[in-house]
Amino acid sequence: MIIELEGCVENIVYRNEENGYTVFELATKDSTEVRTCVGSFSYITEGEHYHLTCGETVHSVYGKQYKVLSADIIEPEDAAAMERYLGSGAIKGVGKALAARIVGRFGDETFRVIEEEPERLADIKGISERMARAISENFYDKRELRNTMMFLQKYGISSSLSVKIYKTYGSGVYQVLRTNPYRLAEEIKGVGFKTADEIASRGGIIIDAAFRNRAGILYVLSEAVAQGHTYLPIDELTENSLKLLGTDEESLKAPLEELSLERKIVMTELDTDIEDKEKVKCCYLAPFYYMELGVARMLTDLNVRHPLNRQKAERTLSRIEKDLDVELDPVQKEAVFAAAENGVMILTGGPGTGKTTTINAMIRFFEEEGNDILLAAPTGRAAKRINETTGREASTIHRMLQMKGMTDDDEAGEKSFGVREGFEKNETNPLETDVIIIDEMSMVDISLMNALLKATAPGTRLIMVGDANQLPPVGAGNVLRDVIASEKFMTVCLEKIFRQASLSDIVVNAHKINRGEEIALDNKSKDFFFLQRDKITDIWGVIVALVRDKLPSYVKAGVNEIQVLTPMRKGELGVEKLNSMLQQYLNPADPKKKEKEYGDIIFREGDKVMQIKNNYQIEWQCRNQKGFVRASGSGIFNGDCGIIKGINTYAEELEIVFDEDKLVNYPFSQLDELELAYCVTVHKSQGSEYPAVVMPLLSGPWQLFNRNLLYTAVTRAKKCVTIVGSRQAVFSMINNEKEQKRYSGLKEHLKEIR
C-alpha cells in the first residue's frame, strides 16, 4: 500500500553516515500520531519538512514503519513550522528559546529576514550584530550544503565525503563536477581517481583526455605512497598508469611534462646499484623528493665529531656500571662512546641483545656530562615502555615536536599525501636540548623524520635506536634501513643474546627466524606454542578459547591485553573477519550495552578499537579518580588502541579511553577513523608489546608470508606466543626472505652528499 505523508522530522533515531540509511520520526500535520519512517537520505536533519511517498511495512521488533520510496524537501511555510526548524538545533547558536523569540518577532517572514535582512535579527534581545551575521551565514550554508549533498548523491558520493567536497568548493562544486571532476582526485583527500572517473561516467561528462591522464598519473603515485614507496621507477609508473587508464604510452608524455613543470612531480635518476652505477629514471610526488633531499642534508649536517677523552669516559662508564649494577660487554661500551663522539649514531639489534641496558648507560653518561636529553618514540605505547625501562620521561615524537591542531585532510584543502608540517617545533623554533634519543626507529617514515630533523638544532646529538629487521614503517620511506645502508653514520649492532633473555624461547626463536633457521614446534617451551589446525572453523574456535579462556590466567593479563595478529586484512583469517568473529564471543550483544552501526562495523560499549589514521586535532583529557582533569591535549594517532566506554546517541558521540588513560569523545561523523582491534595486522602492531600474541597462519600471498613479518609478529610478545594453523606455513615464512620491494631514495641521496 502506497501512502503520501507530509510533516516535520521530529527525531532522528538512527543514521548510518556511510550509506545514508536513516530511521526517523515524522510529525504530520493531519495527525497527532508520530510516524516512524526508514529510508536512505544524502542529508537530513531534525526540523526539516518533507513530502514523502512511502510503503507501509511491519518490522518484527519495531512494529509499523513507513519505507520511504521518494522524498521532496519543502520549505516551512508558516511560523510554527519555522520555529520548529530553527529550534531543532539545525542552526548553530539557535536553541528553542531563541527560535521562539525570532519567530515571535518576524512570524511568517522569518526565513526571508534571516536570508535578506539579517541585521534585523540584532533587534532581538540576546542577538548581537556579529551573531546575526553568523546565524544568516549558517542558515545559508545549511541550505547550500543540503542542496549540494542531494546533487552529489546522484554520483554515488557518501554523505561524509559530500561534506568534505562542499567545504572545499562551496557552491562552485557544480562547475567543478561538470567541467573537470578529476580536480577532486587531485585536491581532496578521500577522493581517488576511480571515484572521479565514476562521476564523469555517471554524469555523461565529456572530459578532456589530458585531465583524465593527469589525474591517473597522480593517483598511481599516491597509491604507491600509501604502499610505502617514496617514488616509482618510470617504467613501473607507466605500466600501472596504462592499466588504469586504458590508453597508450604516447598520451602520457604531455601530462608528465605538465605535472613536472607545475612541480607536482619530480623526474630524476637514481643509482639503484651503486657499484655498477646503473641509473634508473624515477618519478616522485614532489613533496617526497624534497623531503628525502632535506633529510639527507640535515642528517649529514648533524653528523659532526665531538671530542672525547677516552680515559675519562672509561672511568665515568665504570662508575655508571656500578651504580646501575650491570656489566656492559665491549660492544655496548663502544656504543656509549660512539654516541658521545658522533653527532648521528645508530644503535640496532634484536630482542634480548641489551639495547635497553645500553640506552640507560648512554643516558647516565650524558647526564654526568651535564647534557639535557629528550627521549621519544613514534607511538604512545613505545614511549610508555621507554619511560618504564629508563625511569625518565619520554613522549611520542609528535608531542615532543608540539604538533598544531590539524588533521591529515588540512593544508588549504589540498591533498597532503601524508606530508606533515603541523608542528610548533621546527627550524625557526628548534628543540632545546643537547641529545635526542629516538627508540623504535624502524617505524619512523620519511615525513616524520623530516619534521624531526627540522626541529633538531645544529650541534645536537641524534641517537636512533631500533631493530633494522623489523617491518618498514606504515608510512612512506625506509629511513632506518636506508641510513644504515648508506654507511655514512656510526652504527653499532648488538648481536649477543644475554643469559636471562636466552631463557626465553620467544627471543631464541626470533633470532632463529631472522637467520632463516628452523624452529622447534614441539610445545616443550613455556612461552612459545604451536597448535596444528587445518580447518578455518577449528582455527577460529582455538583462537577464541585461547584469548577468552586460556591465556589471561596464564600470562596474568586481561582479555583485551591478549592480541591476535594476522598478516592480512581480507580472507577468512584476515583482520575484518576475525574482528567480527571475536566481537561475538568476547563482547557479545547485550540489551545493557549501547551500539552504533557504521558501515559494516557495529561499535559496541566495551569493544576494543584502534585509530587507523592520524588525527592531530581531536582533543583528549586524562582524569583522576574524582573526575578532575589532570592533563589534556590533542592528537590520536594511527595504531593507538582504546576501549569504548560509552555511546551517547543524543550527542552522537563515542566515549573512548585510549592508552595512557586518554579520554576522547568521538563524533559519529569521524567513525571512519576507527575499527575493531581484537585482531590487527602485524604492520599495525609495530611499536607495541603485548603480554601474549596469538597468530593464525594457514596460507597467504608470498609478499606477506615472509620471514620479516613472522619475526616482527613474534617480537611483539612479552610472555607468550601461540601460532595456530599449518606447520608448513610457518616453515615457508622462515624460508621466504623476499620482502615486498619498497622504493625509497634516501640511501642514494645520502651517498651523493660529499
Side-chain angles (χ1 to χ4, degrees), residues 308-365:
L308 182 70
N309 183 325
R310 275 288 178 131
Q311 288 184 333
K312 181 186 173 186
E314 285 171 1
R315 288 196 299 271
T316 301
L317 192 55
S318 178
R319 189 167 61 251
I320 289 169
E321 287 179 285
K322 288 178 183 177
D323 291 345
L324 294 175
D325 193 23
V326 298
E327 185 176 343
L328 301 177
D329 75 2
V331 180
Q332 289 177 304
K333 289 180 180 178
E334 189 54 42
V336 176
F337 297 145
E341 286 181 318
N342 294 276
V344 176
M345 183 262 180
I346 302 103
L347 176 67
T348 185
T353 57
K355 290 197 299 293
T356 299
T357 302
T358 308
I359 293 171
N360 275 324
M362 286 179 182
I363 292 169
R364 285 293 300 273
F365 187 91

Side-chain angles (χ1 to χ4, degrees), residues 549-739:
D549 307 322
K550 305 289 186 184
L551 288 174
S553 59
Y554 187 73
V555 298
K556 295 179 174 55
V559 171
N560 281 329
E561 294 179 87
I562 313 300
Q563 189 62 58
V564 180
L565 300 180
T566 180
M568 307 167 292
R569 287 200 59 81
K570 303 292 183 181
E572 297 296 280
L573 294 177
V575 164
E576 294 172 8
K577 182 69 177 181
L578 288 175
N579 267 324
S580 177
M581 182 272 294
L582 285 165
Q583 184 189 43
Q584 292 177 39
Y585 290 96
L586 302 183
N587 190 30
D590 187 318
K592 296 178 182 177
K593 294 180 180 178
K594 293 181 181 177
E595 296 180 353
K596 168 62 181 174
E597 185 177 350
Y598 188 85
D600 296 329
I601 301 176
I602 294 174
F603 292 107
R604 184 175 296 137
E605 289 177 340
D607 273 337
K608 180 180 176 181
V609 293
M610 174 182 276
Q611 177 80 10
I612 59 172
K613 63 172 73 169
N614 289 338
N615 186 328
Y616 304 90
Q617 200 169 41
I618 198 161
E619 296 180 351
W620 52 262
Q621 293 180 337
C622 294
R623 297 178 179 271
N624 61 22
Q625 291 181 336
K626 294 184 178 180
F628 294 111
V629 176
R630 58 179 174 82
S632 62
S634 62
I636 299 294
F637 304 107
N638 191 348
D640 287 354
C641 287
I643 303 295
I644 298 175
K645 294 298 183 182
I647 297 177
N648 188 329
T649 52
Y650 179 77
E652 297 191 335
E653 289 179 338
L654 262 63
E655 185 180 85
I656 301 173
V657 176
F658 283 90
D659 293 332
E660 301 176 300
D661 299 324
K662 293 177 181 175
L663 177 65
V664 177
N665 290 320
Y666 255 92
F668 285 175
S669 60
Q670 289 183 284
L671 294 186
D672 61 328
E673 297 181 6
L674 293 172
E675 66 181 21
L676 297 176
Y678 299 104
C679 175
V680 302
T681 62
V682 179
H683 276 88
K684 288 284 188 184
S685 74
Q686 287 175 267
S688 297
E689 215 174 45
Y690 312 101
V693 162
V694 178
M695 190 177 188
L697 292 176
L698 202 57
S699 63
W702 68 266
Q703 298 97 324
L704 292 177
F705 275 56
N706 59 39
R707 181 187 302 173
N708 188 219
L709 186 135
L710 182 60
Y711 172 79
T712 302
V714 167
T715 55
R716 297 307 90 206
K718 288 200 302 188
K719 297 180 180 179
C720 182
V721 169
T722 307
I723 298 173
V724 186
S726 161
R727 191 176 258 99
Q728 184 55 45
V730 176
F731 294 144
S732 294
M733 289 181 79
I734 294 172
N735 292 326
N736 179 15
E737 57 182 329
K738 292 183 180 178
E739 298 176 40

